[in-house]
Amino acid sequence: MTIGLHKLALLWLIFLLISCESGNNGTSETDTPTTGKIRIAVDESFKPVLDTQISTFEALYKYAKIEPIYTNESDAISKLMEDSVRLIVIPRTLTPEEQQPLDKIQLRPRNTKIAYDAVCFIVHPSQKDSTIDVDDVKDILTGKKTNWAEINPKHLKAPIQVVFDHRNSSIVRYLIDSLLHGEKITPKASAVSSTQEVINYIAAHPNSLGCIGLAWISDGEDSTSNQFLSKIKVLSVGRKPDFYEPFQYYLLNAQYPFRRSVYIVSREARTGLGTGFASFVAGEKGQRIILKADLLPATMPIRLVELKTKEIQ
């Protein structure tokens, strides 16, 4: 009888250990800052730089596994609320309304700013203009200007086709909030399903205007980024006579008009793998990856070198 009770107790202990090994949706609840396995959701705008962050982190910590889900901003936030991911990477923090469900369970998410990104405007290489005025961008997005000849009389008359990566993307939300101030984007604008599809569409349609995140085209040492840049033209943005390209220097000085902050938003209530990964990205190694990708690091100072030429006597 005693032996039977011991066996029962042993089976119950094994069951408890197995239960503790798996958390929501198969993620490990026994992970540490450098070991275990978790899922995260990432705004697709930041896929290139997050791919590098994850592969570097996993190379340094061979017992850590980060499984990214690349999606749109709205879906990433939904996954965080549903507790199907530990953390998300998006270009903002949660709104008070989004925070309410977490407040009810007394969970305060941690926000870690990791970078500054930019919303870029791209056109077909055949477009003569290399600049665009902020007010023209607004008029195009709201449908007040629908033809390239309205932007520049030297252009041939051709309808402007605006293309976004996704209807619920962070880029759409950002432009409505920061540029249109609540006005709706013209219903004639199109949405595809990824940044790569936006680039391919622009490359094939000379009269189109694409809106994408800087991370896809910023890294001059990346072959994929260079391949994309060979198919499109990135416009400088501003107001006459000052136009700025989405370079680190102009992001640092906030001269490029469409700069946005990138955050890791975590609901991890303990010091687990999510916390370890967020600390890595915000730390020296992670910030150097962002610097190399030609985005602007959030926590790491960058050196600006002014080159002067000497006059020959």
Side-chain angles (χ1 to χ4, degrees), residues 9-289:
L10 181 60
L11 288 172
W12 179 248
L13 179 61
I14 292 171
F15 172 77
L16 287 175
L17 288 172
I18 293 173
S19 298
C20 290
E21 290 276 328
S22 60
N24 293 331
N25 299 294
T27 57
S28 172
E29 289 292 345
T30 56
D31 55 272
T32 73
T34 56
T35 65
K37 179 180 178 180
I38 60 167
R39 280 193 286 269
I40 69 174
V42 181
D43 186 310
E44 193 258 352
S45 297
F46 312 120
K47 183 179 186 300
V49 70
L50 260 294
D51 275 345
T52 305
Q53 295 281 6
I54 291 169
S55 62
T56 305
F57 184 80
E58 291 179 342
L60 290 171
Y61 306 107
K62 61 181 180 178
Y63 297 112
K65 177 64 178 175
I66 310 288
E67 182 183 333
I69 302 168
Y70 292 108
T71 184
N72 61 76
E73 179 185 271
S74 178
D75 184 57
I77 293 171
S78 295
K79 291 184 185 304
L80 186 73
M81 296 301 165
E82 295 163 0
D83 198 18
S84 60
V85 297
R86 292 270 190 93
L87 60 84
I88 59 177
V89 182
I90 57 174
R92 63 180 178 90
T93 57
L94 300 181
T95 65
E97 291 76 19
E98 291 164 342
Q99 177 67 41
Q100 282 180 357
L102 300 179
D103 288 339
K104 290 180 180 178
I105 58 174
Q106 297 183 331
L107 180 62
R108 195 73 186 173
R110 281 176 287 184
N111 302 311
T112 306
K113 186 185 289 188
I114 59 171
Y116 293 97
D117 175 55
V119 173
C120 303
F121 299 92
I122 60 174
V123 293
H124 191 273
S126 65
Q127 278 280 6
K128 294 180 180 179
D129 285 343
S130 59
T131 64
I132 191 165
D133 192 278
V134 170
D135 293 330
D136 285 333
V137 173
K138 183 175 181 178
D139 288 343
I140 291 170
L141 294 180
T142 55
K144 293 175 183 176
K145 292 182 179 179
T146 59
N147 199 289
W148 283 110
E150 297 176 82
I151 306 302
N152 186 340
K154 295 181 180 180
H155 278 294
L156 294 174
K157 287 188 177 181
I160 304 170
Q161 179 59 56
V162 181
V163 186
F164 292 100
D165 54 343
H166 195 281
R167 284 284 175 192
N168 295 320
S169 79
S170 60
I171 292 175
V172 172
R173 191 268 314 156
Y174 172 84
L175 290 172
I176 290 174
D177 289 351
S178 64
L179 177 63
L180 307 187
H181 303 295
E183 282 190 67
K184 292 183 179 180
I185 289 176
T186 172
K188 293 183 179 180
S190 301
V192 287
S193 59
S194 69
T195 301
Q196 187 168 344
E197 285 189 31
V198 175
I199 294 171
N200 290 337
Y201 187 94
I202 300 301
H205 297 82
N207 299 322
S208 53
L209 175 71
C211 309
I212 65 172
L214 176 61
W216 282 84
I217 53 173
S218 60
D219 191 346
E221 296 182 16
D222 179 70
S223 59
T224 302
S225 181
N226 285 325
Q227 181 185 4
F228 289 152
L229 284 170
S230 69
K231 300 161 65 174
I232 59 169
K233 179 189 288 187
V234 182
L235 296 177
S236 299
V237 188
R239 287 188 169 89
K240 294 179 182 179
D242 301 315
F243 294 92
Y244 302 97
E245 295 177 279
F247 292 160
Q248 282 176 337
Y249 180 79
Y250 298 128
L251 294 180
L252 178 66
N253 293 331
Q255 289 174 297
Y256 185 79
F258 300 111
R259 185 183 81 160
R260 56 183 187 164
S261 302
V262 186
Y263 292 89
I264 291 178
V265 182
S266 172
R267 62 172 293 154
E268 194 168 70
R270 59 189 181 81
T271 308
L273 185 54
T275 302
F277 180 66
S279 297
F280 170 82
V281 178
E284 182 182 356
K285 289 186 174 65
Q287 292 292 284
R288 288 192 180 279
I289 290 171

